[in-house]
Amino acid sequence: WLPALQLLRHASKAVTRHWKAMNFQRQKLLAVTEYLAPRPAVPPRCLPRPTAQGHQEDGHAAVLRRQVQETLRGSRMVAVCQYNSMPDEDVVTLRHYLRKHDIHVKFVLNEIVRPVLAQSKYRNLLPLFVCRNILLVSPETRAREMLRVLKGVPQVNLLGACIDDTILSRQGVENFARLPPLEVSQGQTVAALSLLSSQTCSLLQRGPAHLTALLDQHIRQLQDVAGPTEPPPG
């Protein structure tokens, strides 16, 4: 028979592992036998930096760089713009209005476009790629139409451009847009050159013409003084 209530006493375990200081002789033995790595003959800071020859280039990045090269090679106008966030509908509208003037919008990454620009004639545009940028490219010089479209899009700011292998700032692009078309300029140049040649020709012919007029007047005066001549006989 067991009682209904039993009292049990739980005693704590005896802790036998206490921290004890290591013997001094053992400390000396461990310090003497500690492994020391050999020092290099040449300090690491004096060695040349390792090159990344074994690093394999990402295939996707190589394809993007090739596309950027082809785009720059076939464009007479390359404009660099700062792009701020805008709704997708506005981006589609901007692309549509620019495409009507044969201007294409290219979204590029700085780590992709910078190596391409550094090895091309557009290397002076590198300081403009410091934030999120887009490229406006066209096979023709459509600066006037581009400025007209960007005037209504405050999220896209023009930073600079390269038109016909000439680096221009924003003010330079605006001045270029005010110039007349190439056909009109060629016509004005031809008119100015033909005017100079016609003036030179008239100046050269003025002396002989004046001399001829004086001789004719002198002959008429002599005929008036001599009187009418008699008709020759039958």
Side-chain angles (χ1 to χ4, degrees):
W1 178 82
L2 295 176
L5 179 64
Q6 295 183 0
L7 299 177
L8 299 178
R9 182 179 180 183
H10 298 278
S12 61
K13 290 185 178 181
V15 179
T16 58
R17 294 184 180 181
H18 294 281
W19 180 85
K20 185 178 180 181
M22 187 181 300
N23 188 10
F24 185 69
Q25 296 294 335
R26 187 176 181 182
Q27 292 182 9
K28 292 196 297 182
L29 179 62
L30 292 177
V32 171
T33 58
E34 183 181 2
Y35 173 75
L36 297 178
R39 298 179 60 183
V42 180
R45 62 177 180 274
C46 299
L47 297 175
R49 295 183 179 180
T51 58
Q53 295 179 357
H55 177 67
Q56 186 176 3
E57 186 180 8
D58 188 10
H60 182 62
V63 172
L64 294 179
R65 290 194 183 96
R66 194 178 303 112
Q67 291 178 356
V68 172
Q69 291 176 357
E70 295 176 357
T71 301
L72 297 178
R73 191 180 301 113
S75 303
R76 293 179 56 190
M77 183 184 73
V78 178
V80 183
C81 301
Q82 180 185 3
Y83 175 76
N84 300 315
S85 298
M86 55 189 302
D88 296 339
E89 295 81 3
D90 296 343
V91 175
V92 173
T93 304
L94 174 64
R95 284 177 176 269
H96 171 69
Y97 283 112
L98 290 175
R99 195 179 296 112
K100 290 173 61 177
H101 303 290
D102 199 12
I103 303 175
H104 305 277
V105 181
K106 301 293 183 181
F107 288 86
V108 294
L109 299 175
N110 291 346
E111 55 269 19
I112 298 297
V113 72
R114 276 181 168 274
V116 178
L117 294 179
Q119 300 176 0
S120 65
K121 58 185 177 182
Y122 302 101
R123 63 177 61 92
N124 292 331
L125 294 176
L126 283 175
L128 301 180
F129 289 87
V130 294
C131 57
R132 191 177 182 185
N133 302 99
I134 60 174
L135 294 179
L136 304 181
V137 297
S138 174
E140 301 294 335
T141 55
R142 306 285 185 177
R144 186 178 306 173
E145 293 81 359
M146 179 185 65
L147 292 176
R148 189 184 303 116
V149 175
L150 294 182
K151 187 176 181 181
V153 186
Q155 293 86 354
V156 179
N157 302 319
L158 179 64
L159 302 178
C162 180
I163 301 177
D164 287 337
D165 300 337
T166 303
I167 305 296
L168 300 175
S169 62
R170 179 184 177 88
Q171 186 63 37
V173 176
E174 294 177 355
N175 296 336
F176 180 83
R178 298 191 189 99
L179 296 176
L182 181 60
E183 294 77 8
V184 177
S185 301
Q186 290 176 350
Q188 294 176 354
T189 304
V190 171
L193 295 176
S194 60
L195 177 62
L196 294 176
S197 61
S198 62
Q199 289 179 352
T200 303
C201 183
S202 62
L203 290 175
L204 293 176
Q205 294 178 357
R206 182 177 180 180
H210 184 62
L211 178 60
T212 304
L214 292 178
L215 292 176
D216 293 341
Q217 182 66 23
H218 183 64
I219 292 172
R220 285 194 295 269
Q221 291 178 358
L222 292 178
Q223 291 178 354
D224 294 340
V225 172
T229 57
E230 297 181 356

